[in-house]
Amino acid sequence: MADSEAGTSAGVSDRSRAATGPGGSAAGSGQSERTDDDPDDIEQGDRWLRLRVAWRLVVVTWEFLPLVLAYARDRRRFLLFGRGRQVDPETQVARAESLLETLVTLGPTFIKVGQILSTRPDVLPGPYITVLKRLQDRVPPAEWAEIEPIVEAEVGPVAEAFETFDTEPISGASLGQVYTARLDGQRVAVKVLRPNIRRRVAADLRVIETLTPLLIRGAEPGQAFTLENLADEFSATIREEMDYGHEARMLETVRENFADDDGVRVPEPIDTHSGPRVLTMEYVEGTKITDVERLDEMGVDREALVDRLFSAYIEMVLEQGVFHADPHPGNLAVQADGTIVFYDFGITGTVSDRLQEQIFEMYVSIARNDVDGIVDSFVAMGALDPTADRRLIREMFEIVIESFRGRNVDQYRVQQLVAEFQAELYEFPLRLPQELALIVRVTTVLEGVCRTLDPEFDLIALVTEYVREEGYASRGVRELLDRASDEVQVTGRALLVTGPKLEHTLDRAARDDITVRTALGDEEGLFDRLAKQVVLGFVFAGSVVAALLLFVAGDETAAAVAALGAALAFVGIYRSLRRRSGIQTEPQFTRQNLREREHGDDGGYGQAHGDIEEGRE
């Protein structure tokens, strides 16, 4: 079995079982069903939680203060004034390393934050993504003396509930740890939530909720939406990971969906020995999916394995509507016959019918190499600002597609784009909704796993093959024809109505009996500034003339007052002219996103630092 917290997963279909042992007897030999880790207690806002939130707010603010000051100086060199400054790749790498150390120092919740950020190139520049990918989730396991009361509260006395129970965990992570046991002659895995972890996470989530509005206020306009969504996504994700009842239901759902597929294996949860904080499931062995040497020794066809893995995810996302959303190597294993084993359903996603249709259309556009169709799909899904520079967007999508095809992206071409739009490439106009952000995250991680198995992995070719096999290309043509037919009908009706109206309007114009009304908008206050400049100009000119006349007349005091008025008017004119004028445009892309979309182009960083010893391996 893969060595990770995700190496096992267990289920519960009825939370009422949490209070009873396998035989229906009171669990825990008289212990209360509720403990201080119960989710109902977490939400009561007790004194302990309030004090911890206050303390963590101070600690988190202090830890992040150096990075915040550095970013603030990037905008204004002296914080309150001064020009902005350019940040070179080396500085970005150094800051990314500092961010990684800060997240590790702050503990489990912020390690999870870093893991999510490492899969979101729409949030952070490439150097940060590369560094944070080393951030794993390994912490020292809790002592058995702390874990045993939790197990007994959920399933009853350990010696009675299980035939044998190995008290040494096979893996440990920030939220839970996994043990092995025997039940009815079968080896099982038992996943246990860490003591008081819900309270600790709840406090940190309050801190994040408090600080998020400040981050949004200081972010670029196009990033505000993404940051808000990211905070909501993280809160929902980590709460979901601690809800073992939800994980059990997802295990059972996906297991049923793949019941007829011999190439996919999902462990079976054991209801009678599971609860809100304990998941028991069958123990399924397998080799870590990225252990290429071992897979080769086993004779596993890696190219076929990639096809099977990709097809499984396509089926989950586009057909079943429920998918495993944490496909890092520690959660995927391979058996000797090539069967893929999915572990850890703590993070799952659902896809609405509408989004499935939109993804279908995007895949059809990919199969046809229709970049405009891909852009239209992103706009339809609410993931792309429709007002963004479409020509630049097209070029960027072409680069991304080439990258997914496994080709080397023309770096000179990227440099040309950077040079051309240097003055405005500050942010990528993506604004991923939560539902879609999870799919993007899965695709990013999955692409890395597949590339490890097969360096020639071509995501676009697999998408195209899937479209052809499912007949979506022809379906897309039919939909296009149907849409064109509808548009022709609408246009025809419009022409029937427009003709008489146009003739009536032209007749009135011929008789000089037509009035055109216009309205000028001045949202930027341009006319107000122009009026002030004109008035100040008259004041300046008048004051200069008055000062000269009074000086010649010998009234030096009055001349000095007039000269002072002229000086003040001149300062006002100067400051008014120094303000930015003209049409204001919102930046479209992050400069770094142009380079870091290509895997392997680390710019000299990434491998220069040793991996942090953290588990989910």
Side-chain angles (χ1 to χ4, degrees), residues 67-290:
L67 283 173
V68 171
L69 291 176
Y71 295 140
R73 292 192 62 199
D74 291 343
R75 292 189 174 186
R76 294 186 176 88
R77 191 172 186 85
F78 303 103
L79 296 181
L80 299 179
F81 59 91
R83 294 184 178 181
R85 58 183 183 181
Q86 298 295 327
V87 181
D88 56 46
E90 291 75 16
T91 302
Q92 286 186 327
V93 173
R95 290 182 181 177
E97 292 289 347
S98 176
L99 175 61
L100 184 145
E101 292 176 6
T102 299
L103 295 173
V104 171
T105 300
L106 291 174
T109 306
F110 290 89
I111 289 176
K112 293 287 185 183
V113 170
Q115 289 176 326
I116 289 182
L117 290 175
S118 71
T119 62
R120 293 294 300 271
D122 60 311
V123 177
L124 288 179
Y128 288 82
I129 299 297
T130 301
V131 171
L132 291 182
K133 279 182 178 178
R134 307 198 331 260
L135 181 62
Q136 298 299 320
D137 185 19
R138 190 174 189 85
V139 295
E143 295 294 331
W144 171 245
E146 301 177 73
I147 295 295
E148 185 177 13
I150 297 175
V151 177
E152 293 191 342
E154 299 293 337
V155 303
V158 175
E160 297 178 12
F162 300 94
E163 295 169 8
T164 62
F165 196 104
D166 187 352
T167 58
E168 288 295 321
I170 60 174
S171 68
S174 56
L175 300 182
Q177 48 201 58
V178 182
Y179 299 84
T180 58
R182 283 204 169 272
L183 178 64
D184 297 330
Q186 175 189 10
R187 193 179 185 191
V188 296
V190 184
K191 185 175 179 181
V192 186
L193 203 64
R194 280 178 172 269
N196 296 318
I197 190 62
R198 285 176 173 156
R199 286 181 177 272
R200 294 169 183 167
V201 170
D204 284 343
L205 288 178
R206 296 266 185 96
V207 172
I208 292 173
E209 290 170 2
T210 301
L211 296 179
T212 297
L214 299 178
L215 292 176
I216 292 174
R217 185 175 300 177
E220 299 289 348
Q223 285 290 321
F225 177 90
T226 301
L227 287 174
E228 186 173 5
N229 256 7
L230 183 65
D232 293 339
E233 175 197 341
F234 173 71
S235 178
T237 296
I238 196 168
R239 290 179 188 277
E240 190 174 277
E241 269 198 276
M242 295 186 296
D243 183 356
Y244 283 2
H246 169 83
E247 181 173 345
R249 292 189 293 273
M250 292 299 99
L251 260 172
E252 196 62 50
T253 297
V254 177
R255 178 180 168 81
E256 291 176 359
N257 289 341
F258 284 105
D260 298 328
D261 189 340
D262 295 333
V264 174
R265 179 81 180 273
V266 178
E268 180 181 5
I270 300 174
D271 294 355
T272 56
H273 289 68
S274 300
R277 295 176 296 162
V278 173
L279 296 119
T280 303
M281 60 175 290
E282 64 172 324
Y283 186 94
V284 181
E285 294 195 51
T287 299
K288 185 177 177 180
I289 197 167
T290 52

Side-chain angles (χ1 to χ4, degrees), residues 14-35:
D14 184 355
R15 289 197 176 200
S16 64
R17 300 180 188 270
T20 62
S25 60
S29 301
Q31 291 187 35
S32 171
E33 174 187 354
R34 290 188 185 277
T35 70

Side-chain angles (χ1 to χ4, degrees), residues 349-600:
T350 57
V351 188
S352 65
D353 292 341
R354 177 176 175 78
L355 183 57
Q356 284 182 331
E357 290 294 328
Q358 291 168 337
I359 295 176
F360 283 150
E361 293 181 6
M362 182 184 70
Y363 277 13
V364 170
S365 298
I366 291 174
R368 295 173 179 164
N369 200 28
D370 178 8
V371 179
D372 283 319
I374 298 173
V375 175
D376 290 338
S377 296
F378 267 77
V379 172
M381 289 185 288
L384 187 63
D385 186 349
T387 64
D389 187 323
R390 195 174 183 89
R391 182 182 69 84
L392 183 57
I393 295 290
R394 286 188 81 263
E395 294 203 45
M396 294 310 306
F397 271 97
E398 287 173 359
I399 291 175
V400 171
I401 290 173
E402 288 179 11
S403 173
F404 278 133
R405 285 189 187 278
R407 300 174 183 170
N408 291 327
V409 177
D410 184 352
Q411 292 302 312
Y412 177 70
R413 182 179 171 199
V414 175
Q415 292 170 4
Q416 283 183 314
L417 287 174
V418 173
E420 183 177 354
F421 296 98
Q422 182 131 12
E424 52 183 307
L425 300 183
Y426 293 106
E427 59 184 35
F428 199 84
L430 285 176
R431 48 184 192 185
L432 298 178
Q434 290 184 44
E435 191 178 26
L436 187 60
L438 203 54
I439 296 176
V440 171
R441 176 187 173 192
V442 167
T443 303
T444 302
V445 177
L446 196 63
E447 200 262 350
V449 172
C450 292
R451 191 74 60 130
T452 300
L453 292 170
D454 179 11
E456 302 300 321
F457 171 67
D458 187 343
L459 176 63
I460 304 302
L462 289 179
V463 168
T464 302
E465 183 63 25
Y466 175 80
V467 168
R468 288 174 180 167
E469 288 179 357
E470 299 299 323
Y472 288 124
S474 59
R475 167 184 163 171
V477 172
R478 290 196 302 272
E479 290 181 351
L480 183 62
L481 292 175
D482 291 342
R483 193 180 302 119
S485 176
D486 293 340
E487 291 177 355
V488 168
Q489 294 180 22
V490 172
T491 303
R493 288 195 295 268
L495 288 175
L496 291 176
V497 176
T498 303
K501 290 184 177 180
L502 180 60
E503 182 179 1
H504 177 67
T505 302
L506 292 176
D507 287 342
R508 292 187 61 184
R511 297 195 304 268
D512 294 330
D513 185 22
I514 188 169
T515 303
V516 178
R517 293 187 178 91
T518 60
L520 295 177
D522 185 25
E523 296 180 358
E524 301 291 335
L526 181 61
F527 291 120
D528 288 342
R529 289 201 301 272
L530 182 61
K532 290 178 182 178
Q533 290 169 2
V534 171
V535 171
L536 288 172
F538 279 120
V539 171
F540 174 72
S543 298
V544 169
V545 172
L548 290 175
L549 292 176
L550 291 171
F551 183 78
V552 170
D555 192 343
E556 297 180 358
T557 301
V561 172
L564 179 61
L568 293 176
F570 178 78
V571 171
I573 295 171
Y574 177 77
R575 292 187 61 185
S576 177
L577 292 175
R578 286 270 295 178
R579 292 179 182 176
R580 294 178 62 187
S581 60
I583 299 175
Q584 305 297 320
T585 60
E586 291 189 357
Q588 301 294 329
F589 291 88
T590 38
R591 186 176 291 108
Q592 58 276 0
N593 276 328
L594 298 174
R595 288 181 175 274
E596 271 61 27
R597 307 292 294 199
E598 169 64 11
H599 287 274

